[in-house]
Amino acid sequence: MHTPLCHHAVGEPVEYAARALELGLTEIGFSDHSPMARDDFDDWRMRSDQLDEYVMKVREAQQRFPQLAIKLGLEVDYIPGHEAWIRDLARRHPWDYFIGSVHYVSDSWDFDNPKKLSQWKERDPFQVWTAYFQRLTQAAESGLFQIIGHADLAKKFCFYPPQDCTHLFKAFLAAAQKTRAAVELNTAGLRKDCREIYPSRRILELAFDAGVPVTFGSDAHAPGEVGADFTNAVELARSVGYRKFSRFARRQSETAPL
Ligand SMILES: [Zn+2]
Ligand SMILES: [Zn+2]
C-alpha cells in the first residue's frame, strides 16, 4: 500500500489502517515506491530525504492501531545496476519486506505509466514482454526481494504478444523458487484495462508447480482500495492448489494456512 509521498496516492497510513480494521483484516503492510539514488529520476516516488518521514507515518499508524499488525516495507524498482543502491536502502531501516518490481524495461521507459502509453504502439509487444520478464528474472535472482510485485504488469494496457511466453514465465519462476521470493497476487490488475489479477492464472499454475510461494496485495493507492477483491485473489490461489501463503517480518518469510 502507498502514501501521498509518491505523488499519485491519497490518504495517510492511519486512514488505510482504519479502513483495514473496518474490513476485519488482521495484518497489512506499507510498501510505497522507494526513492532512487537520483531524485530527478522520475516524478512518481518519494525523495531520498523523505524516507524517514515515510517510516514515521507508518510508525504513527502502528502506534494508533496496536490491535492491527502493520508491516513496514518498500516497493523497490529493480533496474540492473541499481543493486548497491537497493542494499543501501535495506540498511537504513528495519524493513519487514522489499517488493521487487519492474516498471522500467529501459532506463527511460516506465511502460506502465499512462503518460507513456504511445511508446507501446511503436514497439513489438513480444520484445517488451521478453525484456520485462528478463528483468523480472534478474530481480528474482538478485535475492534482494522477499516478494516479486505484480509479476505480469506488462499486460496492464492489453498489449498481449501472440507468441508463446511460457519459457519466459518458467525462467522467472525458477529464479523465484531458488531465492524463495514469493509472487504477489496483486488485485490492482482488476482495476486496470487488463481487468485481471497480476499474475494470470496461467503463471500462477506454473508458480504452484515450481513450488513458488504466494502472498497477497491490493496495491492500494487510496484507503478505499485496501483489501480490494481479496476474496477473488484467495479463491484464485486456492483454485490452482495453494493451501499456504507467506507473510513477512524483518525480511524473513513465515508461512500461514490459506
Ligand atoms: Zn504507484
Ligand atoms: Zn508497482
Side-chain angles (χ1 to χ4, degrees):
M1 306 196 303
H2 294 268
T3 80
L5 289 171
C6 69
H7 314 289
H8 62 280
V10 294
E12 294 299 329
V14 286
E15 298 171 73
Y16 287 64
R19 176 68 184 142
L21 276 176
E22 249 173 53
L23 292 169
L25 297 178
T26 54
E27 178 168 323
I28 57 171
F30 287 90
S31 52
D32 207 359
H33 298 285
S34 68
M36 292 284 193
R38 289 180 48 159
D39 285 329
D40 61 355
F41 191 87
D42 59 26
D43 60 359
W44 50 270
R45 63 189 66 251
M46 68 184 86
R47 296 188 312 265
S48 259
D49 66 3
Q50 292 176 308
L51 196 64
D52 291 352
E53 185 185 343
Y54 165 64
V55 172
M56 227 174 58
K57 284 171 184 272
V58 175
R59 297 286 184 232
E60 188 192 340
Q62 288 170 335
Q63 278 153 18
R64 181 95 72 89
F65 301 103
Q67 65 276 50
L68 181 65
I70 302 179
K71 299 296 172 71
L72 175 67
L74 273 181
E75 180 180 5
V76 181
D77 277 79
Y78 178 75
I79 298 177
H82 288 212
E83 291 84 354
W85 169 247
I86 298 168
R87 284 195 190 91
D88 178 3
L89 285 173
R91 283 190 290 267
R92 295 194 192 185
H93 292 280
W95 309 104
D96 290 311
Y97 58 89
F98 271 9
I99 301 180
S101 290
V102 172
H103 305 103
Y104 280 90
V105 287
S106 72
D107 282 356
S108 59
W109 189 31
D110 37 347
F111 65 88
D112 69 317
N113 188 340
K115 290 182 207 156
K116 311 231 180 119
L117 184 59
S118 63
Q119 293 202 38
W120 271 102
K121 293 169 190 148
E122 293 154 20
R123 297 185 202 223
D124 170 11
F126 185 61
Q127 278 179 6
V128 181
W129 280 58
T130 302
Y132 172 76
F133 276 98
Q134 282 172 349
R135 285 204 167 180
L136 207 66
T137 304
Q138 283 178 280
E141 276 168 352
S142 74
L144 293 166
F145 309 112
Q146 286 65 57
I147 302 169
I148 298 297
H150 44 60
D152 60 355
L153 183 64
K155 74 184 174 190
K156 179 175 177 181
F157 300 122
C158 302
F159 291 92
Y160 292 100
Q163 292 90 340
D164 181 16
C165 291
T166 306
H167 63 291
L168 300 173
F169 305 155
K170 283 188 169 172
F172 156 60
L173 293 165
Q177 196 279 332
K178 219 166 156 184
T179 58
R180 303 307 297 152
V183 162
E184 172 206 29
L185 271 78
N186 179 320
T187 60
L190 292 166
R191 311 192 289 272
K192 310 296 181 193
D193 293 353
C194 59
R195 301 265 164 221
E196 189 182 81
I197 287 172
Y198 305 116
S200 64
R201 167 179 290 275
R202 171 81 181 122
I203 294 176
L204 214 55
E205 285 168 350
L206 294 168
F208 181 73
D209 291 344
V212 175
V214 287
T215 191
F216 296 90
S218 59
D219 207 347
H221 284 68
E225 292 172 355
V226 172
D229 298 300
F230 267 22
T231 317
N232 295 0
V234 170
E235 202 174 284
L236 174 63
R238 287 190 63 90
S239 74
V240 309
Y242 282 99
R243 295 293 178 267
K244 292 182 290 188
F245 72 102
S246 295
R247 51 192 196 196
F248 306 87
R250 297 292 177 105
R251 305 191 82 208
Q252 300 292 321
S253 72
E254 58 179 42
T255 300
L258 187 60

